[in-house]
Amino acid sequence: MNPAFSIATFNLFNFVEPPLAYYDAENIYDATQWQRKCDWTRDRLIEMAPDIIGFQEVFSAAPLAALCEAQGLSHWALAPGPEEQDFIRCKPRVALASRYPIVETATVQPNPELVKALGLAQPFHFSRQPLKVRLHVPGFSDVRVIVVHLKSPRAAWQPGERPLIADEELDQRVATPVLGRWASALQRSAEAAMLCLDLMNDQLRDPLPSVILGDFNGDLGSDLLTLLQGGEEDAYRLQDAHDLALYQGDRDPTHYWGANGSVLDHILLSAQFNAGFGQSLAQVDEVVVWDRHLRFNDAEQDRMASDHAPVLARISVRI
């Protein structure tokens, strides 16, 4: 039997250990809430049993690393970020845990020439620094994994922070929500462009089975994100794991706003995972969206659940 492994992405939703707060002084878990948060996260790790998993919204890295270690995910990497001194934390990071050894850890840096070509303000920064990790999967290959959390759709500035029209009430009620969200969309699109170019350059220098996974805060079919999949050149093209899966069930939402569901969390794979590619090394057997807590929320069991569904791709090696 050929080797098999699984890759997952998991937005934890404000994973922050008390007495730290997230975004506001009132957002502090009590001891019971924090224990439930950790227990719920642990149970999802047990349920999914991923071999490689990327996380978003990590404020407290040490307790998450401990949860992963207990499930055999003993290899750990955390994206760099500013050291926040205040007890109110506003800069979540992405992270990765793996059963397989980490060969190298790096970050995705904005390309200066692309920054100029896109007419972006300099210096350009990702809203949340992506994490790039090279892993060795025994019986398969080294694998490049990039964990991302792209800019959210929320307005890029607060009401009153950037007055754009003379009528203050209209500015705060209309201009900021509309134009602030537009600015966020432009940032998200620019981040996707930087990721696309970075991976192209990596694949040119050192072709590897590669994965970009995380919370993209948008549908891959949108004008802002569709080009992230890299066009028609197979060797440099990324494809949605769901579209590559031999078993394709319904495309379930990974996040809900009220009654409206959206697919925000994705696993994108390079051509080496495409069974139809001439130089394929692996195939996607299935993609599972772990969404019970979103569709059938248990008020007791899921009280401290994430507002996203984890996504997991099961992969079989073909070599």
Side-chain angles (χ1 to χ4, degrees), residues 126-296:
F126 284 93
S127 54
R128 286 164 285 244
Q129 177 64 58
L131 173 67
K132 180 161 54 176
V133 176
R134 181 171 179 152
L135 302 161
H136 179 69
V137 178
F140 179 48
S141 167
D142 280 9
V143 177
R144 181 182 294 116
V145 181
I146 302 169
V147 187
V148 305
H149 189 182
L150 301 188
K151 182 71 179 78
S152 78
R154 296 186 189 91
W157 54 83
Q158 297 297 317
E161 185 180 341
R162 293 175 181 267
L164 297 172
I165 53 179
D167 186 313
E168 182 177 346
E169 181 183 354
L170 189 62
D171 183 82
Q172 296 189 18
R173 188 163 48 86
V174 180
T176 288
V178 172
L179 299 177
R181 286 175 63 88
W182 199 333
S184 292
L186 293 173
Q187 171 74 21
R188 186 163 60 257
S189 179
E191 291 176 347
M194 297 297 163
L195 289 167
C196 182
L197 180 58
D198 187 83
L199 184 60
M200 285 182 183
N201 281 322
D202 279 346
Q203 292 294 71
L204 182 64
R205 289 189 299 264
D206 186 14
L208 285 176
S210 295
V211 185
I212 299 181
L213 59 79
D215 178 357
F216 290 69
N217 266 309
D219 189 295
L220 291 177
S222 70
D223 289 343
L224 295 174
L225 295 179
T226 187
L227 294 177
L228 181 56
Q229 296 176 75
E232 299 302 320
E233 186 71 32
D234 283 344
Y236 296 94
R237 187 182 180 200
L238 293 170
Q239 289 183 266
D240 189 344
H242 180 272
D243 295 339
L244 293 177
L246 299 182
Y247 170 75
Q248 293 185 5
D250 294 335
R251 190 59 183 270
D252 297 318
T254 66
H255 182 269
Y256 286 85
W257 182 258
N260 298 316
S262 302
V263 181
L264 304 182
D265 304 84
H266 307 279
I267 300 174
L268 296 181
L269 301 171
S270 64
Q272 290 92 338
F273 295 96
N274 180 356
F277 179 56
Q279 301 174 45
S280 171
L281 303 177
Q283 66 187 29
V284 182
D285 295 326
E286 66 172 337
V287 174
V288 182
V289 177
W290 300 86
D291 62 351
R292 179 202 55 78
H293 64 287
L294 299 182
R295 296 188 296 119
F296 309 108

Side-chain angles (χ1 to χ4, degrees), residues 23-171:
Y23 300 118
D24 187 275
E26 296 182 0
N27 294 333
I28 302 176
Y29 300 135
D30 62 31
T32 299
Q33 289 173 321
W34 174 241
Q35 187 60 56
R36 284 178 168 171
K37 181 80 172 172
C38 290
D39 290 348
W40 188 89
T41 302
R42 176 205 61 206
D43 291 346
R44 298 294 75 72
L45 292 175
I46 293 172
E47 186 177 38
M48 292 190 293
D51 295 306
I52 303 165
I53 183 167
F55 297 102
Q56 299 82 43
E57 299 202 23
V58 179
F59 289 97
S60 297
L64 179 60
L67 287 176
C68 291
E69 175 83 30
Q71 301 309 318
L73 297 159
S74 56
H75 303 277
W76 170 263
L78 178 70
E83 292 295 332
E84 297 185 271
Q85 302 302 321
D86 193 82
F87 81 97
I88 302 174
R89 298 301 165 92
C90 302
K91 302 290 184 182
R93 305 189 203 181
V94 300
L96 178 142
S98 170
R99 300 185 195 279
Y100 308 125
I102 292 175
V103 176
E104 183 181 17
T105 300
T107 59
V108 177
Q109 295 300 320
N111 182 283
E113 292 304 314
L114 183 57
V115 170
K116 292 178 185 177
L118 295 177
L120 302 173
Q122 300 189 50
F124 176 84
H125 298 288
F126 284 93
S127 54
R128 286 164 285 244
Q129 177 64 58
L131 173 67
K132 180 161 54 176
V133 176
R134 181 171 179 152
L135 302 161
H136 179 69
V137 178
F140 179 48
S141 167
D142 280 9
V143 177
R144 181 182 294 116
V145 181
I146 302 169
V147 187
V148 305
H149 189 182
L150 301 188
K151 182 71 179 78
S152 78
R154 296 186 189 91
W157 54 83
Q158 297 297 317
E161 185 180 341
R162 293 175 181 267
L164 297 172
I165 53 179
D167 186 313
E168 182 177 346
E169 181 183 354
L170 189 62
D171 183 82

Side-chain angles (χ1 to χ4, degrees), residues 288-310:
V288 182
V289 177
W290 300 86
D291 62 351
R292 179 202 55 78
H293 64 287
L294 299 182
R295 296 188 296 119
F296 309 108
N297 188 272
D298 183 305
E300 182 64 26
Q301 181 180 350
D302 300 319
R303 185 170 298 179
M304 297 304 295
S306 174
D307 61 344
H308 285 246

